[in-house]
Each structure stands twice: as C-alpha cells, then as structure tokens.
Amino acid sequence: MFERLKKDIEAVLSRDPAARNALEVVLCYPGFHAIVMHRFAHFLYKKNLKLLARIVSQINRFFTGIEIHPAALIGEGLFIDHGMGVVIGETTEIGDNVTIYQGATLGGTGKETGKRHPTIGNNVVISSGAKILGPFKVGDNSKIGAGAVVLKEVPPNCTVVGVPGRIVKKDDKPVKMSLEDVDLDQVKLPDPVSEEINLLRRRIEELEKKIKKMEGNINDEAV
C-alpha cells in the first residue's frame, strides 16, 4: 500500500506544475486524500466489512467532494486534479497513470447488475466534465475531451470529443507511455463538427463559383 501511495504522490508532482513538494501534496491535495481514503475503504470492502467501507467512502465524499465506491479497482499513479464532483462507480476498473479532472463521471447507464461501469486503460486522460457511461473499455493512451459523453468502447491511442463522443485518432500515432510524458493538453483537441462545417463551407464556395461561371456562359450565348 505504501508503495502505491508513493506512486500516487509522484503522479501529482509529475503532472501538476503547481505542486512544489511531496509534503504539499500530502497536506493540500483533495485528489490525493480521496485516493488514500479509497485505498482504506477498498481494503475494508475486500474484508467483507462493506457497511464500514461505505461509511468511509461517504466521509471521503464529504471532505473531498469526490465519490468513489469502495469496490472500484484503482491502479497505481492515479491523479485526480481538483476533483470536485468526480464520481467513480462500483464496478469501475482504472489502470495505471490515469489522470481525471473535476466533474468527470465513470458511471453506469441503468439498473443493470454485474459489470456496469467502464474499464479505463493505462495512461488515459479524462478531462473536465467528461462522462463515460457503460461497461466498456477505454483503451490505453486515450484522451477524453472536456464535456464529452462516451457511450461505447474507445480503442487505444484515440481522442474522443463531443456529445455523443466521437473518436478521432491522433494521426494514427500512439502517444508516449511514460509517466513523465502523459499528455495533459485538454485544449488542442480535434473538433470533427467544426471540420465538417469547414468542409461544407468550402464545397458551397466551389459550387457558387461554378454556378456564376455557368450563368456567365449563358449570358454570353444570349448576347
């Protein structure tokens, strides 16, 4: 457990330029506090002390604003930045070196039993306000854009934007995989809707030029 907590601290220091040292992370970062309390709640849950585990998770929610079900499986190096409003459901599985920003939800889609929450791969970035809903996998090295609503599986090395989420590959090139090189850019994301609008605009301009040319030819023939 202590080795995992050490990696959680290192994750904050490597991904948040505002974090100056480990002591500051331990004392001042609610995302780190939420992970520590979840590790304890998860330990109780596995010991079949489920009510006590839920009580710990509710205390966690009260103090940090982050709700993590004690049954959720979380890997090493998770960084929850700011964290207010983050919800992680019961059957969620999170890999290593994952980054989650405030307002994100890893949830289900109804009253199903069994596996009903997403599985998040390694080195995934989930931006502010993103919603990932359902029992599918988000592949390694993928990025979920701010406000995106993801309702189906995401292959590795992809970026998802929009509502509902649309998959846009990054030039078919995988992102870097080391902890220090996790891509945290939430701004320079592809916008497929804007790209389609620009494509239609260019097409309309081409058609207008052809129509004007045809009208000019007709006028010349009439003269």
Side-chain angles (χ1 to χ4, degrees):
M1 177 178 282
F2 289 107
E3 185 64 27
R4 279 194 169 188
L5 292 177
K6 179 182 177 182
K7 290 186 177 180
D8 292 333
I9 294 173
E10 291 173 351
V12 177
L13 292 172
S14 66
R15 282 176 253 171
D16 186 356
R20 292 173 294 183
N21 53 62
L23 181 61
E24 184 175 58
V25 173
V26 171
L27 296 178
C28 303
Y29 275 70
F32 175 75
H33 301 157
I35 294 169
V36 172
M37 294 185 73
H38 171 72
R39 304 278 191 215
F40 179 56
H42 185 68
F43 170 80
L44 295 174
Y45 195 88
K46 290 195 299 182
K47 295 296 183 181
N48 209 33
L49 300 172
K50 295 183 179 180
L51 177 59
L52 184 57
R54 289 303 302 270
I55 292 172
V56 172
S57 72
Q58 289 303 300
I59 294 172
N60 189 3
R61 179 178 181 270
F62 179 80
F63 282 105
T64 67
I66 299 168
E67 183 169 343
I68 309 175
H69 193 284
L73 298 176
I74 295 179
E76 298 176 346
L78 172 63
F79 174 36
I80 302 176
D81 196 11
H82 300 293
M84 183 63 69
V86 167
V87 177
I88 300 175
E90 178 183 7
T91 59
T92 301
E93 299 175 46
I94 299 176
D96 297 334
N97 303 331
V98 172
T99 304
I100 302 176
Y101 289 89
Q102 66 273 12
T105 299
L106 308 182
T109 56
K111 295 183 179 180
E112 304 93 340
T113 58
K115 176 65 172 173
R116 61 189 186 279
H117 299 96
T119 296
I120 309 300
N122 300 324
N123 310 311
V124 173
V125 175
I126 303 172
S127 301
S128 305
K131 315 299 178 187
I132 305 176
L133 308 175
F136 52 83
K137 183 172 182 179
V138 176
D140 295 351
N141 312 311
S142 290
K143 181 188 294 184
I144 310 301
V149 178
V150 185
L151 302 174
K152 58 184 180 180
E153 185 160 341
V154 178
N157 308 314
C158 288
T159 297
V160 177
V161 298
V163 181
R166 297 175 178 85
I167 297 173
V168 183
K169 290 188 176 180
K170 292 184 171 183
D171 302 322
D172 294 321
K173 296 179 181 178
V175 298
K176 296 178 180 179
M177 296 184 63
S178 68
L179 178 61
E180 292 77 13
D181 292 323
V182 174
D183 184 0
L184 301 178
D185 188 354
Q186 302 179 70
V187 179
K188 297 176 182 177
L189 300 179
D191 186 347
V193 175
S194 177
E195 291 173 2
E196 287 295 325
I197 291 174
N198 290 332
L199 182 63
L200 289 172
R201 184 183 293 114
R202 289 194 296 270
R203 182 60 176 162
I204 290 171
E205 290 173 353
E206 291 174 1
L207 291 173
E208 287 177 342
K209 289 178 182 178
K210 290 182 180 179
I211 291 172
K212 288 180 180 179
K213 184 176 181 181
M214 292 172 63
E215 289 176 343
N217 293 335
I218 292 173
N219 291 333
D220 291 341
E221 291 177 359
V223 173

